[in-house]
Every structure is written in structure tokens, then in C-alpha cells.
Amino acid sequence: MRHLIIGLALVARAASAQMQPAESFAGRLSPDARVALQRLVDSARAAGIPAAPLQNKIAEGALKGADERRIIAAVQSLIQRLADAQRILGPRSRDTDGYGLLGATASALQAGVAPGIIQSLVALDSTQRSDPRPLVGALVTVVDLIAKHIPASAAGMSVADLLRRRATEDELVAFRADIARDITAGATPDIALATRMRAYMQALDANRSIDRRPPGGRASPPGAL
Amino acid sequence: MRERDASPESPMLQRATELLREIPDVRAEWRAALNARIRQPSFNVRVKARDRSTLRPFAAIAAALVFAGVGIGAALAVRAPGQTTENGLSRTRFAFVAPSASQVSIVGDFNQWNPAAFPLRRSADGRTWVIEVSLRSGRHVYAFVVDGKVARDPTAAEGEDDGLGMPNSVVVVQGT
Amino acid sequence: MTHAALHGYHAVDITDAELARRATAGDAASFATLVDRHAPACLRFATRMLDSPEDAEEATQDAFWRAHRAIHRFDDRANFRTWLMSILINRCRTMLLHRRRRAARIVLDDDAVRRAVAPVSGSDAELRGAIQRALVRLDVGQREAFLLKHVELLSYDEMSAITGLGISALKMRVQRACDRLQALLEEDGYA
């Protein structure tokens, strides 16, 4: 990563960079930080990485009152993740990024999902459908499971199993909600995952509706997702 | 491309880390309790090494402070079904329960994290703050700002931790 | 079986793997030696992770009990300490989740609850308190990674085997933890 950042900095010096701080972060950051961040954004853009996610990250950091060094580190890290995501997605990263697929992939890499697992998810989706939204939903689900302390490999493989069975985005939303509810009710993350995976895979294999009752058979409260 | 190995760089943090490495005493009562539990043949009965029946005071005080200072929050992002504008956007409804808040807004990648851009309005029940936002299909990252404090949507998917503080909430908008 | 009999007396050059093999065969003294060897470090990790000696004792006792029940599944070609730590980490995570469940309806900002800042005098006792206060303000994943790396002194390969995360992700968590701890110590008056 250090080599990539040095490379980008050299590109920034060579290029005629436009020093136009984005309105979203002007005034919240010091002049030095704004210059450094603008150089990073310009360098990344020159390297084919979209600027919008970077500008959003800067604005997010400024809003949260993060230390400027952390904002710079977060943007550097995001540049690296977006570059990695572009390599993993290949041509799909440009075709479909209106749906946030590039950001979802970068997010999964940041959360610790191995590139090989992401590649298998991409391969599963490519062979089955052209709409990228199930793949986006799958990546969002993996990151959410990791946030709930499910190991990255287990999260990735479970979601791959659901994607292989053509789970829809609504089913992935329900899956996330069911696991969250089970953990809140006291289940450990690994038990919650195992229990719900059994139910969802059986239902998807049988092409029938999914029993979303909590373990023990109590009905979900009305209005639950 | 090698990543640099993370080490505590400052002398103060190095010293603090050395202090963390100090080995605690293993109490004889704890050891005896473990032995007793291992001797039990086939069922899991935790043998307590000391009485833990009273609530630890700090936990109660901390909960009260947070409750008073921040208020209760619960949120729901509900897609308004079947509504798509001409630009391929979908109306998505967000709600946040914060009866004691003075102002709530939503920030995210759809408004450059600007807390002034999308204020929520208080609904008729007086407790819930709501807004409908036109969003493109796909993944969006967001958070709420409640009286100046950034808050996650506890019912939404959680985003990754990238060192900027609380991880964000994530919604995938379907559209048509 | 008496309490004394469950304190094993074995030569220190018997490996963990050999002790585990003997424990699998029913030798209680061998398991007792494994407890003697690993309990201090396990208690240390759990105490730093949970910020409560009581909870740490409970989590560690649970971990050893589960290890005892599962010792027949331990592959003695593997690293016993890594195996035991993965059990302990799960117990600690469960305990933290139960704490979170009690506060599930409260929206938290990680600065919303502030502890009083102790006056800086440079003593180890005060620094000990400051670093523990800073540790509990870390995200759970960062706290875990920092403790495994810099307190338990595990390698990244071992940490990856315990947590299931990739090495790059672990390095990132450790770095962010160091940065955040440094910042928190500075806030507390320690430069």
C-alpha cells in the first residue's frame, strides 16, 4: 500500500492538479489537511478510481469530528480497497456502479473478507443473472454478519450458499434481521448463523416460503422485517 | 506490497502495553471452583467463585447517564413499495424514535454527509422522526445526527469499521 | 478426586500436545497441568477484554470447562494455546453481547459516557488505570486484535487461526487500535 500511495503522490505532482476543495469538507478541516486530501483525490482520479466515494469519506470524517490524520488514513485505505475491488470485479466495476457494487466490494475487503471469497460471490452472480443488486445485497450481508462477530470465512461461505440458491434481496434482508434478532435474544453468533442457515437453505432448496419464527417456534412480532 | 507491521510507537503506549502484560493472580478459590466443575460428570453447572448477585454500581450509573444524555433511539428504514420516480429513484422512508430530541437529520452518501440537508420531521405521535428520501437503486451508507451526535440505525445492516468512529448503517434500495 | 490430585506435577518439558493427549486418555492430572500453564494468560486476556475480574473469571472458567469437555476433539498436531484462546475469545464475545443486549434500546455514542480524568503523576498505577480505560473504549474487534498481538504476543498466523480474519485485516485492526489508544491516552493527559 505504501508503494501505491507513493506512486499516486508522484502522479499528483506531475499532473496539473486542480486545487478545488469539495464544498462538503471546506471549512471543517485545516488548510494542510485539505491540500493533502485534495491531492489524494486527484491522484486517485488519475489512476481511474472514482472520486465520489473518497469525497464522501472525507465529509463523513469531518462530520464525525475524526482526527485529520485518521481521515487521511481512511481515505488512503479506501483508495487501496477501491483499487483492489476494481481488480476483483473487472469490467463489472464500471458497468454497474450506479448500484454501489464497487463500494460494497471495497467495504467487504475492509471488513476482512478474503479476496477469494469475494471472487467466488462475483462468479456465482455472473453465471446466474445480470442484475447486480443481489450481489450488492450479498456483500452487504457478509459485512453485517462480520460486524456481528461471525468469522469472515463463515460469513462469506454462508452467503455464497444463499446466493447459489438464488436468494433474493428481500430474503437477504430477512436473513440479516433474523440473525440480529436471535443474537439479541441471547444466541451466540455461530449458533444463530447455523440455525438460520439450515432453515433458509431448506426453504430455498424446496422453493417454499421461509419459516422466520425464532428457534422455539414463537411468532415474530407484527411489523417485523 | 508489504503492509507495515503495527507496533505501539510512543514510549508511553509501549510502557502502558507492558503494564497490560502483567499476569493477574489466579485465586485459589477460582481454581477450586474449576476443579469442582470439571469433576461433575455430565452436566454444565457453573460453580461461582464469588457471589455476583448484586448489580455492579457502575453499570447502572452508566446506563442512566447514557439514557438521560442521548435518549432512546430506534429506527426503521422502510422502502415505500412500488414507487419510482422518473429518474429511476425510489422513495425510501426512514424513521427514528427519539422523543426527547430537538432535531434529527439523516446524513449519508446521498447528501455528502451534510447534517443540514435532510432534517427529519416529528410525526404526529410526538416520538418518531420521519423522512422520505429519493434514492437510486443499490447500496447506500448513512447515519442519523441526533442533537449533534452521530447515531447508527440499530435495525439496519452495519457497515465496516474504517477508523472514523461508529460504523455506518447500510441499506440496499431495490427500486424497479 | 481431591483438590490436590487435580494439581498436576509434571516436568516442564512435557509439551502441551502430550498433556492434551494424556488428558484425552483420561489423565486428570495432565489437564490440571494445562490449566496451571494457561490459566494466568487466559485470565489476563479476559480481564483486559471484559474490564471486570469477575466476568473474566467466569469466562475463563467456562473456557476451560469447554476445553475439558472437548479435549477429545483437539488435534494434538495443532497448537493447544491457539485452540484454547479461540474458545476463550468466544466466551468473551458472548459475555459482551449479553451486556450489549441489556442496553440494546439505547443509541450509543462511544464518548457518551465519560470517566473522570485522573490527574497525571506519572505513576505506573495511574497509567495502568488509564490504559484499561482506553482499552474498553476501543471497538471490540480492535481490542481483541490489540490484546492478542501486543499483550498475548501471538503471531498474525496464530491470530488468524483464532479469529478467522485475514492477516491484512488483523494488521489494520491492530494499527487502528494503537492509533486510538495513543489518542485516548493523550486525551487523558499522557503524552
Side-chain angles (χ1 to χ4, degrees), chain A residues 1 69-70 73 77 81 109-113 146-153 183-190, chain C residues 90-91 93-94 97-98 100-101 104 140-141 144 163-166 168-169 172-173 176 179-181 183-184 186:
Chain A
M1 179 167 158
R69 291 171 300 170
R70 290 178 204 285
S77 174
R81 301 293 161 240
L109 289 167
Q110 181 76 36
V113 183
I146 292 171
K148 291 172 171 61
H149 301 290
I150 289 167
S153 53
I183 291 173
T184 300
T188 60
D190 51 350
Chain C
N90 278 332
R91 304 320 306 153
R93 285 175 181 175
T94 300
L97 277 172
H98 287 159
R100 195 193 297 178
R101 178 162 53 100
V140 169
E144 241 180 48
T163 62
L165 289 172
S168 292
M172 199 162 303
R173 286 189 179 191
R176 286 203 295 270
D179 289 350
R180 180 111 171 99
L181 288 171
L184 289 168
E186 286 170 3

Side-chain angles (χ1 to χ4, degrees), chain A residues 151-185:
Chain A
S153 53
M157 287 189 290
S158 298
V159 173
D161 283 339
L162 295 176
L163 205 61
R164 197 173 287 118
R165 289 163 174 78
R166 306 180 75 89
T168 64
E169 170 58 16
D170 282 344
E171 284 161 343
L172 290 175
V173 170
F175 181 72
R176 297 195 293 263
D178 285 343
I179 287 190
R181 192 179 310 119
D182 291 348
I183 291 173
T184 300

Side-chain angles (χ1 to χ4, degrees), chain A residues 129-147:
Chain A
R129 41 197 162 190
S130 55
D131 182 354
R133 282 171 293 184
L135 178 57
V136 173
L139 290 166
V140 167
T141 301
V142 174
V143 174
D144 186 50
L145 294 179
I146 292 171

Side-chain angles (χ1 to χ4, degrees), chain B:
Chain B
M1 186 177 301
R2 290 184 66 244
E3 299 193 31
R4 71 189 159 100
D5 195 17
S7 301
E9 287 172 359
S10 81
M12 183 60 67
L13 185 54
Q14 285 174 10
R15 178 59 192 149
T17 306
E18 287 168 18
L19 293 174
L20 288 173
R21 291 193 202 116
E22 291 171 345
I23 296 283
D25 291 336
V26 180
R27 294 187 313 118
E29 293 87 343
W30 177 85
R31 192 67 172 84
L34 175 61
N35 291 343
R37 190 169 172 198
I38 286 174
R39 279 197 294 270
Q40 288 166 8
S42 60
F43 53 93
N44 177 12
V45 175
R46 184 173 299 118
V47 179
K48 294 197 189 315
R50 57 178 125 190
D51 180 21
R52 300 180 67 247
S53 57
T54 57
L55 179 67
R56 288 184 293 283
F58 176 75
I61 292 168
L65 283 173
V66 172
F67 217 92
V70 179
I72 304 169
L76 182 66
V78 176
R79 291 179 287 282
Q83 294 197 347
T84 308
T85 69
E86 289 180 2
N87 293 331
L89 304 175
S90 291
R91 298 288 288 173
T92 303
R93 184 173 185 272
F94 296 88
F96 193 91
V97 176
S100 58
S102 304
Q103 56 188 85
V104 180
S105 62
I106 188 167
V107 291
D109 57 14
F110 41 82
N111 66 5
Q112 291 78 49
W113 297 84
N114 182 352
F118 289 172
L120 277 68
R121 69 181 185 285
R122 201 190 289 266
S123 66
D125 69 4
R127 302 175 62 247
T128 310
W129 298 75
V130 298
I131 189 171
E132 283 194 1
V133 182
S134 293
L135 298 177
R136 295 194 180 285
S137 293
R139 174 180 176 267
H140 294 278
V141 179
Y142 68 99
F144 294 100
V145 179
V146 184
D147 289 340
K149 289 189 190 304
V150 179
R152 199 169 59 78
D153 178 346
T155 66
E158 192 170 331
E160 76 283 10
D161 173 18
D162 62 358
L164 290 185
M166 184 181 295
N168 300 315
S169 302
V170 182
V171 64
V172 182
V173 173
Q174 290 302 294
T176 57

